[in-house]
Amino acid sequence: MKLNFRKTGTGKPLVILHGLFGSADNWMSIAKGLEENFTLYLLDQRNHGDSPHSETWNYKAMAGDLKEFMEAEGLQNASFLGHSMGGKTVMKFALTYPKMVENLVVADIAPRPYPVHHQTILEALNAVDINSLSSRKEAEDKLAEYIPERGIRQFLLKNLTRKDGTFAWKVNLPVITKQIENVGEEITSDKPFSGQVLFMGGANSDYIKSSDKEDIDELFPNNHIIHIKNSGHWLHAEQPEAVIATLKTFLGD
């Protein structure tokens, strides 16, 4: 699958992957802080953003998409950063195609399985009658019946697009709804990835726990685990300057 992507900056290649319900645009502010040091490739993963939709949606397929992207761009290797779902994609990619990975940054996710915990968001998105929708305000009002946090609603509404007078979701909502268990899938491998890996969690998030260290050590023995102060799961939005500084230190500016 040929993924949609945005390219900016100059220098060593750094590929960035967003999380569930996200898109390349979510990481543009981080990219702006790195573009003097890196050539950044911000990708829309399959079934997200402006990339194609598919009935197949799992980490094996998404890692394959990443390999196809690398080959199409003529990149023999690069550094990779993935947040949440994107973090699992880049972990799977590094374990499957280790020679293509220079450095790996995994943002607020571990390789272990995660229980489904997006039911309310999916219920809210599916409650929007997209075919009769007349305005973005109408969509937000419906989401507000399920999601009290305005910031989360605004994030989700970035997926709402309008073309030829009709609204549509950029995300492949039917497939994501049906296969939501796949996003929490455990990342496994018979052989560890020996390269340098940074696990960058949010200090106020429980996505990377101390109990995850054993699994991380087994798959990624050359790892560093840090937590960004005063940040939750959306660490790049909550503490962008700290994230940028951390990335420059780890990847080398």
Side-chain angles (χ1 to χ4, degrees):
M1 177 178 290
K2 187 173 182 179
L3 301 179
N4 179 65
F5 69 95
R6 299 179 66 170
K7 181 180 178 182
T8 185
T10 181
K12 298 175 291 185
L14 172 60
V15 180
I16 301 179
L17 271 68
H18 61 82
L20 182 65
F21 303 120
S23 68
D25 289 350
N26 299 154
W27 283 81
M28 276 306 297
S29 62
I30 300 298
K32 291 293 183 184
L34 298 170
E35 60 187 4
E36 291 185 4
N37 309 99
F38 302 93
T39 299
L40 297 121
Y41 300 85
L42 295 89
L43 278 56
D44 287 334
Q45 298 194 78
R46 65 169 55 202
N47 292 329
H48 288 74
D50 294 319
S51 283
H53 289 185
S54 172
E55 290 289 326
T56 302
W57 184 56
N58 55 55
Y59 289 115
K60 179 180 179 181
M62 289 189 277
D65 293 341
L66 203 44
K67 180 175 184 288
E68 184 177 337
F69 160 78
M70 292 285 287
E71 291 172 344
E73 288 300 301
L75 298 171
Q76 293 186 340
N77 57 34
S79 293
F80 293 83
L81 161 62
H83 174 243
S84 200
M85 179 185 76
K88 287 211 164 188
T89 301
V90 297
M91 281 190 274
K92 183 70 172 179
F93 181 80
L95 291 164
T96 309
Y97 310 104
K99 291 183 179 179
M100 302 185 84
V101 181
E102 185 74 25
N103 296 290
L104 187 66
V105 181
V106 179
D108 212 49
I109 200 78
R112 64 174 163 90
Y114 288 75
V116 174
H117 55 281
H118 299 94
Q119 295 96 327
T120 301
I121 287 177
L122 286 170
E123 190 177 357
L125 292 173
N126 281 291
V128 176
D129 188 349
I130 200 75
N131 295 317
S132 65
L133 192 65
S134 60
S135 68
R136 298 182 69 86
K137 177 67 165 56
E138 183 182 333
E140 181 170 10
D141 289 345
K142 177 56 68 173
L143 294 182
E145 295 177 15
Y146 299 83
I147 303 168
E149 301 89 353
R150 185 175 184 274
I152 295 177
R153 297 198 303 270
Q154 292 300 311
F155 167 72
L156 294 171
L157 285 169
K158 290 180 179 179
N159 288 294
L160 190 61
T161 187
R162 191 169 191 170
K163 187 176 181 181
D164 299 328
T166 61
F167 284 97
W169 292 116
K170 287 187 175 185
V171 291
N172 189 342
L173 189 56
V175 166
I176 292 174
T177 301
K178 185 178 179 180
Q179 301 183 34
I180 190 60
E181 293 86 358
N182 291 356
V183 81
E185 181 181 81
E186 181 180 10
I187 302 299
T188 62
S189 177
D190 295 331
K191 186 177 181 181
F193 173 71
S194 60
Q196 186 174 222
V197 185
L198 173 65
F199 283 83
M200 179 174 57
N204 300 331
S205 169
D206 63 355
Y207 273 69
I208 299 179
K209 302 179 178 180
S210 57
S211 56
D212 291 322
K213 183 163 174 51
E214 185 177 346
D215 289 339
I216 290 172
D217 286 345
E218 184 176 338
L219 291 173
F220 305 99
N222 188 10
N223 71 75
H224 310 270
I225 303 174
I226 68 164
H227 286 82
I228 302 293
K229 292 180 180 179
N230 301 315
S231 67
H233 187 55
W234 304 98
L235 63 171
H236 55 296
E238 296 169 30
Q239 295 293 334
E241 292 182 3
V243 168
I244 290 168
T246 301
L247 291 172
K248 286 183 176 180
T249 299
F250 177 72
L251 298 172
D253 54 6

